[in-house]
């Protein structure tokens, strides 16, 4: 039952004093007419910025991460889609709350205004609530739920009304974009895609609809849903599309770390933007010459796309960006148990009683692994592999050319198994040479782990499968695959230290154990409230720790026969949740959060210590 709340300001939203977001920006919207930008972040904040000064006007904090901010056609309201299942409607000038809409049946991914008027808002959610919800408002701001549009089979990522208000387009992980006839309240067309569709946008004329797909391609469709053009050029999923106001250009943000500006007439690339800390999930074309991008660093980034003469420029100008955030994305431990933390601002931080920066790179660190000899392997968001001495001196740097390097595992012969966004497994030597590569998965590899007892390298993918690989000389040889119809988007895998099984966690909130040699599988209860992001197995094999986007860590206990005997869950890390976990040599477990928190757990899953990353502020990174 929907229970919209009407309020001037209330307990579930707070005014805060910030210089920038405390974690990466997830979404951006703005208006030249209003001279204002709006950003939302993983930290649960929405910030209004005056433009072009990029000075902060107001900031608000919400109960969960912010997935979308949208300014209304009248420029007086802002709709905020939040992962707590609500949409919050704010006054754009003051940030005061006008309404809270919900709760919906899952995280709200997007809330789109009708371009014809501000009287209609479309709300779309994660897989637990795949219907499209329409909300209405009259002149007295009396909000209420309207129709539901039923048809999507899985979560819906994005929505956008056509300028003429005849159609609503919605993009889903069911590999479709659906056009809804708003008068008939039914589907007018279904645009099939070869993968998840995370983003879409109508051109200002309404003649073209742009979509971005997990296959790395953007597509242009007619207003009736007929394919007009496929736009290629990226090596990673198309995560954001935005038309220029004239409709002449389409900005495409890709998971290979680049924004590309394409001509809508030819599809050709006319500009490429790649800057340290930019994040392709958030970006708009404010006018034909200027893009506003979200960043890992917490501040919006202004990119000038064209020269003073109006032609595309190969070297877009951009503002310098202070480094504000120290969210932790990945963690590893060396043989002595000293922690290495990889942050969203490209830092490797050694944590042993106090924190010190070992090395700094120009983009997000996505993976860390420490060799028995102490060498540090780091993978980054642009697909580069860095191998360093324990002191942080760079030994080798190579481009794996597979998009974000999501996971690393040192193999028995001293080479590295690398899992990349393009679904490939690569074997890389300490000299940086790639000795073998195999396309292991149809989707991005999220995690890899070496199982010594099973003598297998296991790769887990967001294509909902796991594969096991035997080593024979320099090559990987496929040994087993696990797939199940109820398995949804595997996030992480960890090997049991002395038994031939692996623990895996996924978006469907379940913990599973897989025996790759026999094919046996054990599916355990879904105790977390949200997608499970991280997993580690204790030295005894009798405790598995899991960490979730809901901020909790769960310790799972097994008896000597390997049967589940119970579990206990602790609310530990704040929003936006647990990012990574690892096992230390002394048997203790470590979990880290995107909010910069670090927790140490005993071998039986009891919380021993908890704190925040404490590193002296760093200067700006000059673009």
């Amino acid at each position: 039952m929907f229970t919209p709340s009407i309020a001037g300001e209330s307990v579930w939203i707070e005014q805060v004093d910030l210089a920038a977001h405390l974690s990466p920006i997830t979404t951006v919207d703005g208006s030249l007419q209003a001279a204002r930008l709006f950003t939302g972040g993983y930290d649960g904040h929405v910030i209004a910025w005056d433009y072009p000064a990029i000075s902060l006007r107001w900031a608000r904090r919400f109960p969960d991460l912010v997935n979308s901010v949208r300014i209304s056609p009248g420029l007086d309201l802002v709709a905020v889609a939040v992962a707590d299942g609500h949409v919050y409607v704010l006054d754009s000038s003051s940030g005061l709350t006008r309404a809270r809409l919900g709760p919906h049946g899952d995280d709200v991914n997007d809330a789109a205004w009708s371009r014809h008027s501000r009287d209609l808002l479309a709300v779309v959610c994660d897989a637990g609530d795949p219907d499209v919800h329409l909300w209405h408002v009259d002149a007295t701001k009396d909000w209420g739920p309207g129709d539901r549009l039923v048809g999507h089979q899985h979560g819906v990522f994005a929505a956008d009304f056509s300028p003429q208000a005849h159609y609503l387009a919605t993009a889903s992980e069911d590999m479709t974009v659906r056009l809804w006839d708003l008068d008939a309240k039914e589907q007018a067309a279904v645009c099939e895609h070869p993968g998840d569709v995370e983003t879409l946008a109508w051109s200002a004329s309404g003649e073209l609809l742009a979509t971005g797909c997990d296959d790395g391609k953007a597509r242009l469709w007619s207003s009736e849903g007929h394919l007009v053009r496929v736009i290629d050029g990226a090596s990673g999923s198309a995560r954001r599309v935005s038309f220029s106001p004239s409709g002449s250009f389409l900005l495409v943000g890709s998971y290979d770390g680049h924004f590309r500006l394409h001509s809508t007439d030819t599809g050709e690339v006319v500009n490429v933007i790649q800057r340290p800390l930019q994040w392709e999930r958030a970006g708009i074309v404010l006018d034909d010459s200027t893009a506003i991008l979200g960043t890992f660093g917490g501040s919006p980034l202004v990119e000038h796309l064209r020269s003073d003469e109006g032609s595309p420029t190969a070297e877009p100008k951009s503002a310098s960006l202070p480094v504000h955030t120290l969210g932790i994305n990945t963690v590893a431990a060396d043989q002595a148990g000293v922690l290495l933390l990889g942050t969203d601002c490209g830092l490797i931080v050694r944590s042993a009683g106090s924190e010190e920066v070992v090395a700094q790179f120009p983009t997000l660190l996505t993976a860390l692994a420490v060799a028995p000899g102490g060498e540090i392997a780091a993978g980054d968001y642009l697909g580069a592999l860095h191998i360093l001495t324990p002191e942080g001196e760079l030994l080798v740097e190579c481009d794996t050319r597979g998009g974000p390097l999501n996971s690393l595992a040192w193999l028995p012969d001293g080479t590295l198994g690398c899992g990349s966004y393009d679904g490939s497994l690569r074997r890389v030597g300490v000299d940086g040479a790639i000795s073998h590569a195999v396309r292991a998965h149809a989707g991005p590899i999220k995690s890899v782990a070496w199982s010594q007892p099973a003598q297998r390298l296991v790769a887990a993918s967001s294509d909902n499968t796991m594969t096991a690989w035997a080593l024979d000389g320099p090559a990987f040889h496929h040994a087993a695959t696990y797939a199940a119809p109820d398995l949804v988007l595997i996030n992480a895998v960890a090997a049991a230290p002395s038994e031939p099984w692996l623990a895996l966690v996924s978006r469907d909130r379940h913990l599973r154990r897989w025996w790759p040699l026999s094919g046996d599988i054990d599916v355990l209860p879904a105790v977390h409230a949200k997608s499970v992001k991280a997993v580690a197995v204790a030295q005894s094999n009798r405790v598995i720790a899991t960490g979730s986007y809901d901020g909790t860590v769960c310790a799972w206990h097994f008896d000597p026969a390997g049967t589940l005997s119970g579990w206990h869950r602790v609310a530990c890390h704040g929003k936006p949740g647990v990012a990574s976990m690892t096992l230390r040599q002394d048997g203790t477990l470590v979990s880290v959060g995107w909010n910069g928190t670090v927790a140490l757990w005993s071998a039986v899953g009891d919380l021993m210590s908890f704190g925040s990353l404490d590193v002296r502020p760093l200067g700006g990174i000059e673009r």
Side-chain angles (χ1 to χ4, degrees):
M1 179 67 181
F2 289 109
T3 55
S5 301
I6 312 299
E9 191 74 9
S10 79
V11 296
W12 33 260
I13 181 171
E14 300 178 46
Q15 183 174 357
V16 291
D17 184 16
L18 293 176
H21 288 280
L22 305 176
S23 67
I25 291 174
T26 55
T27 177
V28 59
D29 198 12
S31 163
L32 280 177
Q33 182 180 349
R36 197 160 300 152
L37 305 174
F38 300 91
T39 56
Y42 264 146
D43 58 357
H45 292 94
V46 168
I47 297 178
W49 310 79
D50 287 325
Y51 179 82
I54 314 298
S55 57
L56 191 145
R57 185 178 184 89
W58 54 256
R60 292 291 185 271
R61 183 172 66 184
F62 295 87
D64 211 327
L65 64 92
V66 176
N67 287 319
S68 172
V69 291
R70 296 283 198 105
I71 189 169
S72 67
L75 308 180
D76 57 337
L77 298 175
V78 176
V80 182
V82 181
D84 69 343
H86 292 85
V87 175
Y88 298 80
V89 181
L90 311 181
D91 182 283
S92 64
S93 294
S94 65
L96 293 178
T97 309
R98 298 307 180 200
R100 179 178 65 166
L101 313 179
H104 299 83
D106 209 330
D107 298 4
V108 180
N109 290 324
D110 198 9
W113 297 97
S114 168
R115 299 197 196 186
H116 184 65
S117 72
R118 72 170 195 181
D119 297 340
L120 188 63
L121 193 69
V123 175
V124 295
C125 306
D126 253 355
D129 186 0
D131 296 347
V132 181
H133 303 274
L134 300 179
W135 289 84
H136 298 280
V137 60
D138 63 21
T140 64
K141 299 186 179 66
D142 183 16
W143 292 80
D147 298 291
R148 288 194 186 195
L149 307 178
V150 180
H152 282 297
Q153 303 302 307
H154 296 292
V156 187
F157 291 119
D160 198 25
F161 286 92
S162 67
Q164 291 79 17
H166 298 312
Y167 295 114
L168 171 69
T170 53
S172 171
E173 63 182 342
D174 66 7
M175 301 190 294
T176 69
V177 165
R178 297 173 192 258
L179 300 186
W180 306 89
D181 184 315
L182 295 174
D183 294 326
K185 301 297 189 298
E186 63 184 20
Q187 291 181 30
V190 178
C191 305
E192 301 283 350
H193 290 70
D196 296 354
V197 191
E198 297 192 32
T199 179
L200 52 74
W202 287 97
S203 64
S205 68
E207 296 177 356
L208 291 174
L209 174 68
T211 62
C213 181
D214 202 37
D215 68 349
K217 296 178 174 61
R219 289 169 172 83
L220 296 179
W221 307 80
S222 71
S223 58
E224 292 80 27
H226 303 303
L227 184 62
V228 174
R229 179 172 292 107
V230 177
I231 295 178
D232 206 349
S235 60
S237 174
R239 307 285 291 276
R240 178 67 176 170
V241 293
S242 175
F243 279 102
S244 65
S246 68
S248 301
F249 302 102
L250 180 72
L251 186 70
V252 181
S254 168
Y255 197 20
D256 62 8
H258 295 75
F259 277 95
R260 293 172 176 85
L261 192 69
H262 297 264
S263 164
T264 53
D265 289 335
T266 65
E268 293 180 354
V269 176
V270 296
N271 213 328
V272 179
I273 307 167
Q274 198 288 304
R275 293 289 181 268
L277 304 183
Q278 75 179 32
W279 197 14
E280 86 297 326
R281 286 189 61 181
I284 59 169
V285 183
L286 200 59
D287 58 36
D288 275 14
S289 299
T290 310
I292 308 297
L293 310 181
T295 66
F296 292 117
S299 298
L301 182 63
V302 180
E303 288 282 354
H304 300 291
L305 302 173
R306 303 166 66 75
S307 69
D308 293 338
E309 291 75 28
S311 60
T313 172
E315 292 294 334
K317 301 175 183 178
S318 56
S320 61
L321 177 70
V323 176
H324 291 290
T325 67
L326 284 175
I328 305 171
N329 301 291
T330 182
V331 60
D334 66 16
Q335 295 296 302
V338 175
L339 297 179
L340 293 170
L341 311 171
T343 76
D344 56 18
C345 286
L347 303 181
I348 299 178
V349 178
R350 180 182 288 113
S351 180
S354 62
E355 282 79 38
E356 62 172 323
V357 175
V358 175
Q360 181 170 10
F361 300 96
T363 189
L364 174 82
L365 290 172
T366 50
L368 286 175
V370 184
E375 294 85 0
I376 304 166
D380 73 23
Y381 192 66
L382 300 179
L385 171 65
H386 316 271
I387 301 178
L388 305 95
T389 67
E391 295 73 33
E393 179 185 352
L394 184 64
L395 297 173
V396 173
E397 188 172 59
C398 67
D399 184 0
T400 60
R401 301 186 180 278
L405 189 52
N406 292 326
S407 190
L408 300 167
W410 287 98
L411 302 176
D413 64 354
T415 61
L416 276 161
C418 305
S420 299
Y421 181 85
D422 66 357
S424 296
L425 273 177
R426 292 173 174 85
R427 197 167 183 180
V428 182
V430 292
D431 60 354
I434 299 174
S435 60
H436 183 66
V438 60
R439 184 66 183 271
H441 288 271
I445 294 177
K446 301 295 289 293
S447 181
V448 297
W450 170 255
S451 171
Q452 184 66 26
Q455 289 290 292
R456 295 289 186 268
L457 179 66
V458 172
S461 172
S462 59
D463 67 3
N464 305 333
T465 65
M466 293 222 311
T467 53
W469 301 81
L471 305 182
D472 183 9
F476 298 122
H477 292 276
H478 179 259
T481 295
Y482 167 59
D486 61 341
L487 181 60
V488 180
L489 205 158
I490 306 171
N491 285 318
V493 60
S498 57
E499 294 183 6
W501 54 264
L502 296 99
L504 63 142
V505 292
S506 59
R507 187 174 178 178
D508 61 23
R509 302 184 293 119
H510 287 281
L511 166 67
R512 291 171 171 85
R513 291 187 297 171
W514 182 44
W515 285 257
L517 300 182
S518 65
D520 293 340
I521 190 73
D522 184 13
V523 182
L524 302 169
V527 302
H528 291 285
K530 292 190 176 181
S531 174
V532 188
K533 178 66 173 74
V535 62
V537 184
Q539 200 72 43
S540 65
N541 307 305
R542 299 291 173 255
V543 175
I544 301 174
T546 55
S548 168
Y549 281 100
D550 66 9
T552 65
V553 170
C554 184
W556 303 77
H557 299 275
F558 299 83
D559 63 25
T563 302
L564 180 65
S565 59
W567 65 84
H568 67 278
R569 189 164 61 105
V570 180
C572 181
H573 300 279
K575 305 298 182 182
V578 180
S580 182
M581 307 186 80
T582 195
L583 171 67
R584 301 203 305 179
Q585 284 284 11
D586 63 1
T588 56
L589 301 162
V590 179
S591 59
V592 297
W594 276 294
N595 61 356
T597 53
V598 181
L600 179 64
W601 306 83
S602 73
V604 295
D606 294 326
L607 181 61
M608 298 169 60
S609 65
F610 180 81
S612 296
L613 183 62
D614 182 19
V615 178
R616 287 179 299 172
L618 301 168
I621 294 179
E622 189 65 29
R623 302 273 176 253

